[in-house]
Amino acid sequence: MKIILKSIALGFLVAACSQQQARKPISHTDGTFIKESIERNKKLIANEEKLIEDIIKKDTLKEYLASSKGYWYKYDVKVTDATPSPQRGDIAFFDYEIKDIRNQIIYSEEELKPQKYYVDKEHIMMGLRDGIKLMKKGEKITFLFPSHMGYGYHGDDNKIQSNQPLICTVTLNDIQKDTIH
């Protein structure tokens, strides 16, 4: 009896140590989730662009420019001198406020305080990251950002909601070369 039990135990041990075969996944995807997500995003962007287009049509006193990145902007104060714009590695000092698409203040300049931004070396809102590089010292620009150029699907975990287009008014106070980094 002991020999039979030992033989069975040895058989299980040998079977357990044998090479395992990789298993193929049971579920197969047909890509419908991705296709549906793409369609939802296209509709979202189209709706946001319509809202922004309506703002631009109503503001007949200003000329809005379309950026190559998918947002629009107007100059509130434009500097015409041949002065440099912030480049990668520069330090940009700016003030800004954030409003919703209905022009209601979300964050005031006082709440956001003066900002010090190492250009392209720090993470800030995608639209601001690009928009600041368009500016010259002393300029004030109002940006109209669709949600994907703002805080996107996630929002900011505070006052900015998911998929919320934003109006940001930015004043570039100074540009300095970064001598430390």
Side-chain angles (χ1 to χ4, degrees):
M1 181 79 167
K2 284 186 172 184
I3 294 177
I4 294 174
L5 288 176
K6 286 183 182 179
S7 296
I8 292 173
L10 184 60
F12 280 124
L13 185 61
V14 169
C17 292
S18 67
Q19 190 75 4
Q20 291 262 334
Q21 292 283 333
R23 296 184 295 167
K24 293 183 180 179
I26 295 172
S27 64
H28 298 283
T29 180
D30 59 0
T32 57
F33 175 78
I34 303 259
K35 290 175 188 170
E36 290 171 358
S37 180
I38 289 170
E39 287 306 310
R40 274 192 310 273
N41 286 333
K42 283 181 180 178
K43 287 178 186 175
L44 175 72
I45 290 170
N47 289 338
E48 290 178 5
E49 287 179 351
K50 173 74 171 96
L51 293 170
I52 290 171
E53 185 180 302
D54 291 345
I55 290 171
I56 292 170
K57 283 181 182 176
K58 288 178 186 173
D59 190 0
T60 57
L61 299 177
K62 292 288 185 175
E63 176 189 0
Y64 284 81
L65 303 167
S67 77
S68 61
K69 303 285 185 177
Y71 61 86
W72 294 261
Y73 61 99
K74 68 176 179 176
Y75 285 91
D76 299 309
V77 175
K78 184 170 177 69
V79 172
T80 55
D81 299 340
T83 57
S85 296
Q87 303 295 314
R88 178 178 172 78
D90 290 348
I91 305 168
F93 296 88
F94 66 95
D95 294 306
Y96 74 119
E97 75 177 2
I98 300 175
K99 296 179 182 178
D100 65 19
I101 204 75
R102 294 177 311 278
N103 214 29
Q104 301 298 308
I105 293 176
I106 299 172
Y107 293 109
S108 68
E109 275 190 28
E110 292 77 28
E111 285 178 275
L112 295 172
K113 299 182 175 50
Q115 299 289 308
K116 178 180 179 180
Y117 167 57
Y118 291 84
V119 178
D120 289 341
K121 292 186 174 186
E122 290 183 283
H123 291 289
I124 61 172
M125 183 188 345
M126 188 184 308
L128 282 181
R129 194 177 320 148
D130 188 69
I132 284 173
K133 292 188 281 187
L134 298 174
M135 300 180 76
K136 297 177 182 177
K137 179 180 175 179
E139 287 187 329
K140 183 175 186 176
I141 295 179
T142 297
F143 297 96
L144 305 176
F145 295 127
S147 62
H148 66 275
M149 293 302 292
Y151 287 90
Y153 176 76
H154 193 265
D156 77 339
D157 289 332
N158 194 7
K159 295 181 182 180
I160 298 174
Q161 304 300 311
S162 172
N163 296 322
Q164 186 172 11
L166 301 170
I167 300 172
C168 294
T169 302
V170 181
T171 303
L172 184 60
N173 300 316
D174 199 7
I175 305 167
Q176 295 178 0
K177 295 291 179 196
D178 182 12
T179 57
I180 297 172
H181 294 106

